[in-house]
Amino acid sequence: MTVKKLFSCLCPSLIPSRETTLFYLLGMLIALYMLAGAAIFSFLERPAELKAHQVWDRRLRKFSHEYNISCEDLKSLLRQYEEARTAGIRTERGRALWDIPGAFYFVGTVVSTIGFGVTAPSTTTGKVLLVFYGLLGCSATILFFNLFLERAITLLSLLIFWGHTKRFRQSEPEARADEGNGGERWKPSVYQVTLMLFITVLLVACGAASLYSAMEGWTYFESLYFCFVAFSTVGFGDFVSGQRKHHEDIQVYQVANCLLMLLGVCCTYSLFNAMSVIIKRGLDWILRALDSMYNNLRDCRLQFRLQFGPSETTISCDDDTTRGQQLQITPSPTHSIMWNSSVPSAIGKCLCGEAKVETVCHRNH
C-alpha cells in the first residue's frame, strides 16, 4: 500500500459532503421510482395499445375495401388531418381557438406550465414569440406561486394555532402563555400544514369535478382525473375543459374555469412544496440510519482488530524523499467519517481524525 493511496483513503476532501450525498440519494430514488412506474404502466397499458393498433388496422383495411380506396391514399389523408389539428380543425366543430377568450386560455396554459397541447401556434412568428413569452411568463408565474405559498402557509399556521390554543385554553396553562407571547413557543409542524393543504386541494378538486362533470359531460371520475392532471400542470391533453362550441356563449363558465385552474394550480403547487420538505426529512433519516450502520460496522471492525490483531500498523516508505522513514498508523475509535459536513477551508489540508499518523525517522549510522 503506497503513501499516496493511504492519504487518499484518509483525506475527507475526497468524500462527498452530506448535501451532495443527499442529492445523489434523491436522484437514485427518483430513478428507481421512474423505473418502477415505467414497469407498472407498461404492464397495464401496453396490452391496450397493441389491441388498439389491431382494431385500427382492421378498420382501415375494411374501409379501404368497402370504398375501393387504397390504404396509402387513406393514410395520406389522415396525415393531413393530423397536421390540420394543430390549426384547430376538428371532426366536430368546437369553440374558436384564437379569438380573444381562446387566446387567453392558451396563454394561461403556457404561463402556468400546464400545456394541454390542444392549441399551439402554427406560424413561425408565433413559435418564436412563444419562446420569449413563455420564458418571462413562466418565471413570473413561479414567483406568484411562491408568494401564494408563503401566504397560504401563514394562513394555515394561524388556523392551526388558533385551534391549538382553543383546545388547550382551559386545560393547559402554558397555552395561555403561548397565546400571550404570540405563539413563539408553539408552531405547527410541516405534517399538519401538509395535511391542511391536502384537504384544501381535495376540496377544490371535488368542487371543480362537480362543475366539469355537469358542463363537459364527463363522468365524475374523469373530472377528478382531469383536475389532477391540470392542477399538477402535467397537462396530457386527453381531457380539456371549455373546448365545446356552446361554451362560447357561457361567459360565467369561462371565468369560473380560469379561476378554478388558477386556484387549483396554486394549491397543488403549495402541496408539492410541503411534501418535498417531508421527503427531504425522510432522506435525512435514511442518511442518519446509514451513518449509524457505518459507525456500528466500524466499531465492530475496530474491536476485532484490537482483540485479534496488532493495535499499531507500520508501513515502510520506499520513496526517495521519505527513504528511511516509517509511517505508524494508530486507529482512533473516537471519530468516523462517512461524508463531509463542510468543505475544507484549505486545499490539501486533511481534516480527518479517523487515524493518527506518526512519522518516525530512523537514521542509518
Side-chain angles (χ1 to χ4, degrees):
M1 185 175 184
T2 62
V3 178
K4 184 177 180 181
K5 186 175 181 180
L6 174 65
F7 281 133
S8 66
C9 295
L10 296 179
C11 186
S13 61
L14 302 178
I15 303 174
S17 64
R18 185 180 182 87
E19 292 298 326
T20 303
T21 306
L22 183 67
F23 172 76
Y24 291 151
L25 179 60
L26 179 59
M28 182 181 65
L29 291 178
I30 290 177
L32 292 176
Y33 187 77
M34 292 175 65
L35 288 174
I40 294 173
F41 284 106
S42 178
F43 174 78
L44 294 175
E45 301 296 335
R46 181 59 177 171
E49 180 187 13
L50 296 176
K51 184 178 179 181
H53 278 287
Q54 295 174 0
V55 172
W56 174 250
D57 290 337
R58 288 197 301 267
R59 290 178 177 176
L60 195 64
R61 290 192 299 267
K62 182 180 178 181
F63 186 87
S64 176
H65 178 72
E66 288 181 356
Y67 294 94
N68 196 18
I69 302 175
S70 65
C71 292
E72 294 300 327
D73 293 339
L74 187 57
K75 290 181 180 179
S76 177
L77 177 62
L78 293 175
R79 281 194 296 267
Q80 294 176 6
Y81 173 71
E82 290 176 355
E83 295 175 357
R85 283 183 62 89
T86 306
I89 305 300
R90 300 293 184 270
T91 54
E92 294 182 3
R93 183 175 178 82
R95 56 164 296 177
L97 298 181
W98 292 108
D99 59 351
I100 295 299
F104 184 81
Y105 188 83
F106 164 73
V107 297
T109 61
V110 171
V111 300
S112 62
T113 70
I114 296 177
F116 287 123
V118 175
T119 309
S122 58
T123 62
T124 303
T125 306
K127 293 178 181 179
V128 173
L129 178 61
L130 178 63
V131 174
F132 300 97
Y133 184 87
L135 181 64
L136 180 61
C138 292
S139 302
T141 306
I142 290 176
L143 176 61
F144 178 81
F145 289 163
N146 290 326
L147 296 177
F148 179 87
L149 174 62
E150 294 177 1
R151 282 149 182 79
I153 291 179
T154 302
L155 177 61
L156 292 177
S157 299
L158 291 175
L159 292 176
I160 296 173
F161 176 74
W162 177 77
H164 175 80
T165 54
K166 184 177 180 180
R167 181 184 303 175
F168 296 101
R169 185 174 298 172
Q170 302 298 330
S171 58
E172 294 290 340
E174 296 180 356
R176 297 181 181 180
D178 291 344
E179 184 179 3
N181 294 330
E184 296 180 356
R185 296 184 183 179
W186 185 88
K187 294 181 180 180
S189 65
V190 65
Y191 305 102
Q192 293 174 319
V193 174
T194 303
L195 179 61
M196 293 292 292
L197 286 172
F198 177 77
I199 295 174
T200 302
V201 171
L202 189 62
L203 291 176
V204 173
C206 290
S210 300
L211 176 63
Y212 292 135
S213 179
M215 297 300 299
E216 301 290 345
W218 302 332
T219 65
Y220 192 78
F221 174 78
E222 291 175 341
S223 300
L224 281 177
Y225 166 78
F226 165 77
C227 289
F228 172 78
V229 171
F231 296 167
S232 62
T233 69
V234 175
F236 290 128
D238 50 351
F239 290 92
V240 182
S241 61
Q243 298 302 306
R244 297 189 176 185
K245 182 175 177 56
H246 68 273
H247 290 159
E248 292 180 343
D249 301 329
I250 309 177
Q251 302 294 334
V252 177
Y253 174 65
Q254 295 183 15
V255 175
N257 184 27
C258 294
L259 293 179
L260 284 175
M261 288 285 183
L262 178 62
L263 180 61
V265 170
C266 289
C267 293
T268 308
Y269 177 85
S270 303
L271 178 62
F272 286 164
N273 277 272
M275 292 179 65
S276 66
V277 176
I278 297 178
I279 293 174
K280 188 175 185 299
R281 289 189 177 185
L283 294 177
D284 289 334
W285 179 86
I286 293 176
L287 290 183
R288 288 194 299 269
L290 292 176
D291 194 17
S292 178
M293 293 172 59
Y294 174 80
N295 292 332
N296 292 335
L297 180 61
R298 183 183 179 279
D299 292 340
C300 292
R301 293 177 59 186
L302 181 60
Q303 292 177 3
F304 180 80
R305 290 180 180 179
L306 293 176
Q307 293 179 2
F308 300 100
S311 60
E312 184 176 86
T313 303
T314 302
I315 300 176
S316 298
C317 304
D318 295 332
D319 192 7
D320 294 338
T321 58
T322 58
R323 187 177 301 278
Q325 296 183 355
Q326 291 181 336
L327 293 179
Q328 296 180 354
I329 302 175
T330 304
S332 174
T334 59
H335 184 67
S336 66
I337 292 181
M338 188 173 181
W339 48 70
N340 286 330
S341 59
S342 60
V343 179
S345 58
I347 299 178
K349 182 179 179 181
C350 186
L351 305 178
C352 181
E354 187 176 11
K356 180 172 67 177
V357 179
E358 299 178 358
T359 304
V360 180
C361 298
H362 297 274
R363 297 179 181 272
N364 294 328
H365 298 283

